[in-house]
Amino acid sequence: MSIVRSITLALTAPVLGLTASLATAQELVRYDAHQVVRAEVDTLRELRTLLALGGDVWSESIGLGSIDVMLPLDRIGTLARTGIEFEVMIADVQRLIDEERSRIDGDGIAGVGFFEEYHQQDELFAFYEALEASRPDLVTSRSIGESIEGREIRAYTISGAEDPSSVPAIYIVAGAHAREWISPATISYLADTLVNGHGADDRITPLVDDLAWHIVPLANPDGYQFTWNSNRLWRKTRKANGDGSFGVDWNRNFAAGWGGPGSSGNTGSDTYRGTGPFSEPETQAIRDDVAANPNTAIFFDVHCYSQLVLWPYGYDSTEPEGPAGEIHRNLGEGIAAAIESINGRVFDPQPAHDLYLASGTSLDWAWDDAGVYAFTYELRDTGEFGFVLPPDQIIPSGNEILESFLYVGEELVGSNALIDFPEGFPTVVPVDTPTEILVSISSAFTELDPTSAVVRTRIDGGPLVTDPMSLAGIDQYLATVPAADCGAVIEIDFLIETTNGNTIVLQSETGPWQIDVVDETVFFADDVETDLGWTLGLPGDDATTGVWVRVDPIGTAAQPENDASDPGTICFVTGQGSVGGSLGENDVDGGSTSLVTPSIDTTGIDLGTVAFAYWYRNDAGASPNQDSMPVEISTDGGATWTLIATISDNASAWRLLEIEVDLAGSTLTQVRFIASDLGDGSIVEAAIDDFSITTRSCPNRDCPGDLDGGGQVDGGDLGLLLAAWGTSDPSADLNGDGTVDGADLGLLLASWGPCP
Ligand SMILES: [Ca+2]
Ligand SMILES: [Ca+2]
Ligand SMILES: [Ca+2]
Ligand SMILES: [Ca+2]
Ligand SMILES: [Zn+2]
């Protein structure tokens, strides 16, 4: 759940009267006739071929899939002859750098706000000094180490708490990679907004008072200044490696899987890991300062570019075990949603290994060794400008990242909790029957009072009724949905208190959840645990791998480990995986594969509901988010098919879908699911479970035979009565004797035709 509020504070950018003129003593490295290309690397052989061209890799890590590389034009010609597919992302790198230079060196920056331009180190620190001087009650600073070239590594703490070491802390590192200028710019905007918003903005004030924000704006000051003085595209530190080469990759030097895949032992490499874990003063500074602030709850390392929100692990393809994995995922998805809510920029939330493995990162270290929740941001953009992002994107980037940190802050102070329905949320409940719902409510950071959990319900807009929920396990509660008449709509939400007295209201994104009270008749229901005669693959299918199978799934990085049924183990998936399987193992490749239900007798249904659980992933590989899974229905034995839904959401989780379909006049009905990997190859995995076809209706009280409320007594009603034959279903037991039988059939036939 997220509650998005707008920030009413008018932000004024402080003008410090500084000029950004550059030291020009050193020769500036030029990138004339260089382009950045995005290569689609499908095999290790292609990867070796690409790397042999010796370009500057702009992607954060190296692996199969998309890689952005800067190359001189002549080698782009060579690349074209290798057959590796690529597209040009930046046609003239030097032109972008020249534009930036002439803007900063010239008069272009006179009068522009501080956050309308990038700033070198001295100016950034002057900005923080001014911030500290303006609100000494909120801002404190300290030196946390010294770089190889003797520059101070500074940290700033923003907090309105009397004792900032006694409140939960968020630790944010920026500027670890020198050329990623948008990182310190964005985080400085955050610092400015937190300080100036305190006392002026109702949302920011408590998040500054109740939390401590530790900010390291330039974790790699030597490298950053080098990008201003000498080489705009420098990434590493400025350590002299002793062989004429310079620099260690800050983000491969941490003691978490140090030396593993996605890092290099070659001193000249942009991912050179250093001589040992924490061999560098720039990483030692972070290690020691996080340790010196044991109230740190979440750690952020802010990079660019690619628009990603990443959580551990990068060094292998696992995620933190137990609830911590789920908390990382939930927070990561909440962060991405918060970012998108501001400017519509889509940031993909995913474990760091989803793209490539990378070892020795601050992210994995923060979780493994420091024991705090950890995220890496890859900020704007997705490759149009890459590292040379125009400065008019600083404030938009600042605002969207600010929103994500306000969300995280609210999670941390406990004004939010996570709600989940482990057995599913009932969008329909039976008539005149109380229904229990299992509810899971948890908070990553705040202690909840389980005795305070209540459910609130309201039937058809009537009075709001509050009932306690009973404890059903750790973080689990049973809520009772009250009995109601057919056709009623029940609104429902949940409340819980934190042990320090905050009340958290848990609702859907649009307010209370809604439940329809209807009479449901099941015509077909399959939890897939036994073989009910589905067809796996059709003539004409052309997928080469990932063909539908009915199995107890083995999870890969893209395919579920468990089915959706409870109880149950078996579902349909696109190709079985193997233990520890990689992202692309036996996913759908090369075309389409179809999953078709058996023929289902739907005689007598007018309006039916097709419901199923699905899993779908298509957000990785060479052309992510391009594929989808159509769901189609046929009522003529498979001769013609009609689209009823298109699944394309990358939940990486089981989701339920219910679709209303007109089945009037049908006798036999089939539904099919077509999973495809079309065009450029990508990772596509799908799964289906818990499929049903039902009708939902309320009888017409003034017209006893009109079971489906259609205004006449007809075949639809006959179908419902026959479906309830022999049961005590009150909606079909027309004479109320407790059994649906011939007497009821007689009454129905006697009233055949339009209702009076
Ligand atoms: Ca199942
Ligand atoms: Ca598969
Ligand atoms: Ca594929
Ligand atoms: Ca009866
Ligand atoms: Zn980076």
Side-chain angles (χ1 to χ4, degrees):
M1 180 192 89
S2 73
I3 302 167
V4 177
R5 276 156 287 187
S6 61
I7 297 170
T8 52
L9 172 71
L11 291 167
T12 51
V15 178
L16 298 176
L18 292 167
T19 62
S21 65
L22 294 164
T24 48
Q26 282 171 281
E27 186 76 6
L28 295 171
V29 175
R30 295 190 60 83
Y31 293 95
D32 293 304
H34 278 64
Q35 295 187 328
V36 177
V37 298
R38 180 161 296 170
E40 305 301 340
V41 178
D42 295 330
T43 63
L44 286 174
R45 195 169 153 274
E46 287 189 350
L47 181 60
R48 277 193 296 272
T49 304
L50 177 69
L51 296 180
L53 295 173
D56 176 15
V57 176
W58 280 32
S59 296
E60 177 58 35
S61 305
I62 297 168
L64 298 187
S66 295
I67 302 185
D68 291 1
V69 188
M70 180 175 68
L71 288 164
L73 279 176
D74 58 338
R75 268 176 275 168
I76 288 174
T78 311
L79 175 63
R81 288 190 292 277
T82 65
I84 297 173
E85 276 182 47
F86 69 92
E87 60 177 319
V88 174
M89 300 299 292
I90 300 177
D92 187 343
V93 173
Q94 187 59 41
R95 190 172 59 81
L96 282 186
I97 295 175
D98 286 344
E99 285 170 4
E100 185 177 78
R101 273 293 143 162
S102 62
R103 197 184 67 231
I104 290 172
D105 283 345
D107 297 334
I109 61 163
V112 308
F114 188 75
F115 294 110
E116 291 167 3
E117 189 49 88
Y118 294 104
H119 301 278
Q120 52 184 317
Q121 179 181 238
D122 291 351
E123 296 165 13
L124 270 180
F125 285 144
F127 155 77
Y128 280 95
E129 271 172 40
L131 201 61
E132 190 173 355
S134 74
R135 290 300 300 268
D137 56 325
L138 297 181
V139 186
T140 57
S141 66
R142 61 191 178 277
S143 175
I144 63 169
E146 206 174 80
S147 69
I148 280 285
E149 292 181 346
R151 289 185 174 85
E152 246 190 305
I153 301 169
R154 297 195 61 76
Y156 300 85
T157 297
I158 298 166
S159 179
E162 214 155 279
D163 175 9
S165 70
S166 69
V167 292
I170 295 174
Y171 201 105
I172 304 169
V173 177
H177 285 147
R179 62 192 173 188
E180 300 169 6
W181 286 10
I182 189 64
S183 161
T186 296
I187 295 309
S188 299
Y189 182 87
L190 169 74
D192 186 57
T193 310
L194 290 176
V195 172
N196 288 304
H198 183 269
D201 182 276
D202 288 348
R203 193 173 172 205
I204 290 173
T205 304
L207 296 178
V208 170
D209 283 341
D210 298 343
L211 296 172
W213 299 77
H214 300 299
I215 291 175
V216 179
L218 284 179
N220 172 15
D222 297 348
Y224 187 69
Q225 201 51 39
F226 193 68
T227 60
W228 283 78
N229 293 348
S230 184
N231 182 349
R232 174 66 180 86
L233 298 176
W234 190 255
R235 164 181 164 103
K236 298 189 287 182
T237 69
R238 290 298 297 164
K239 169 78 159 285
N241 291 323
D243 57 1
S245 76
F246 283 87
V248 170
D249 184 353
W250 184 96
N251 207 24
R252 298 294 183 278
N253 190 238
F254 283 75
W258 183 89
S263 71
S264 175
N266 173 355
T267 55
S269 165
D270 250 357
T271 53
Y272 174 51
R273 59 178 84 111
T275 53
F278 289 118
S279 58
E280 305 308 307
E282 293 89 353
T283 54
Q284 293 163 13
I286 300 301
R287 174 195 63 191
D288 297 344
D289 196 55
V290 171
N293 289 283
N295 56 329
T296 298
I298 318 185
F299 176 91
F300 290 88
D301 184 12
V302 180
H303 292 251
C304 75
Y305 58 96
S306 292
Q307 296 181 190
L308 299 171
V309 178
L310 306 174
W311 57 86
Y313 287 100
Y315 61 60
D316 68 20
S317 55
T318 65
E319 291 179 50
E321 284 176 16
E326 197 183 336
I327 289 167
H328 272 106
R329 182 173 287 276
N330 283 328
L331 276 174
E333 288 171 356
I335 286 167
I339 292 171
E340 187 175 354
S341 73
I342 299 302
N343 301 309
R345 283 275 170 149
V346 176
F347 280 53
D348 286 331
Q350 58 196 36
H353 58 249
D354 251 20
L355 292 179
Y356 316 103
L357 292 182
S359 302
T361 64
S362 67
L363 175 77
D364 290 351
W365 165 81
W367 175 246
D368 268 359
D369 280 19
V372 299
Y373 294 95
F375 294 90
T376 296
Y377 282 7
E378 297 285 352
L379 302 181
R380 294 178 175 215
D381 55 10
T382 53
E384 183 184 0
F385 297 102
F387 302 119
V388 196
L389 193 70
D392 61 5
Q393 297 204 27
I394 296 172
I395 290 174
S397 171
N399 279 324
E400 66 206 12
I401 297 307
L402 166 68
E403 179 66 26
S404 76
F405 279 111
L406 297 184
Y407 158 77
V408 169
E410 283 166 351
E411 290 288 321
L412 201 47
V413 299
S415 46
N416 268 337
L418 301 172
I419 187 163
D420 189 28
F421 304 98
E423 294 175 353
F425 182 81
T427 55
V428 296
V429 294
V431 178
D432 293 335
T433 313
T435 305
E436 286 192 327
I437 311 180
L438 185 63
V439 184
S440 161
I441 302 175
S442 60
S443 169
F445 308 104
T446 312
E447 204 175 332
L448 303 173
D449 174 7
T451 65
S452 70
V454 297
V455 54
R456 293 194 303 191
T457 53
R458 186 198 297 275
I459 301 172
D460 281 339
L464 193 62
V465 177
T466 301
D467 289 306
M469 291 196 281
S470 59
L471 203 56
I474 296 171
D475 292 339
Q476 295 203 332
Y477 306 88
L478 273 179
T480 302
V481 181
D485 291 342
C486 200
V489 175
I490 302 176
E491 289 178 289
I492 184 167
D493 63 11
F494 306 88
L495 274 67
I496 196 164
E497 287 176 17
T498 64
T499 50
N500 55 8
N502 286 341
T503 299
I504 302 174
V505 181
L506 296 149
Q507 299 184 332
S508 79
E509 281 171 21
T510 53
W513 285 275
Q514 292 207 339
I515 298 175
D516 292 326
V517 182
V518 294
D519 195 32
E520 183 170 57
T521 304
V522 176
F523 278 76
F524 180 79
D526 185 3
D527 61 8
V528 195
E529 302 304 313
T530 55
D531 181 359
L532 294 187
W534 293 56
T535 305
L536 307 171
L538 285 178
D541 279 359
D542 51 1
T544 54
T545 64
V547 172
W548 286 103
V549 288
R550 184 183 150 269
V551 291
D552 176 355
I554 295 171
T556 68
Q559 174 175 303
E561 166 66 20
N562 295 312
D563 79 330
S565 315
D566 183 22
T569 55
I570 296 173
C571 63
F572 298 106
V573 294
T574 49
Q576 181 65 299
S578 66
V579 175
S582 66
L583 193 61
E585 179 180 305
N586 207 359
D587 76 314
V588 181
D589 280 337
S592 300
T593 177
S594 306
L595 171 69
V596 192
T597 66
S599 287
I600 297 161
D601 184 354
T602 50
T603 308
I605 300 185
D606 285 338
L607 193 62
T609 299
V610 172
F612 51 87
Y614 69 94
W615 171 291
Y616 191 70
R617 272 291 299 268
N618 74 337
D619 60 348
S623 58
N625 301 309
Q626 298 300 305
D627 294 303
S628 60
M629 179 163 69
V631 183
E632 298 176 342
I633 197 164
S634 174
T635 54
D636 57 8
T640 57
W641 294 88
T642 305
L643 185 72
I644 54 172
T646 301
I647 291 171
S648 61
D649 50 329
N650 283 289
S652 281
W654 284 101
R655 287 189 170 169
L656 295 173
L657 187 62
E658 296 176 349
I659 309 154
E660 299 251 282
V661 287
D662 182 0
L663 292 172
S666 67
T667 52
L668 291 177
T669 297
Q670 286 177 286
V671 174
R672 71 180 181 186
F673 302 85
I674 305 169
S676 305
D677 185 2
L678 306 176
D680 285 341
S682 58
I683 307 297
V684 174
E685 288 283 11
I688 294 291
D689 203 355
D690 290 342
F691 179 93
S692 66
I693 295 183
T694 59
T695 60
R696 295 166 181 180
S697 56
C698 288
N700 185 340
R701 285 166 205 284
D702 302 324
C703 182
D706 184 13
L707 302 184
D708 60 9
Q712 55 186 347
V713 180
D714 59 10
D717 306 300
L718 180 60
L720 289 173
L721 186 133
L722 295 178
W725 195 263
T727 71
S728 61
D729 182 347
S731 68
D733 180 14
L734 297 180
N735 64 1
D737 68 354
T739 310
V740 179
D741 56 15
D744 305 299
L745 177 60
L747 287 172
L748 186 139
L749 294 176
S751 58
W752 196 264
C755 287

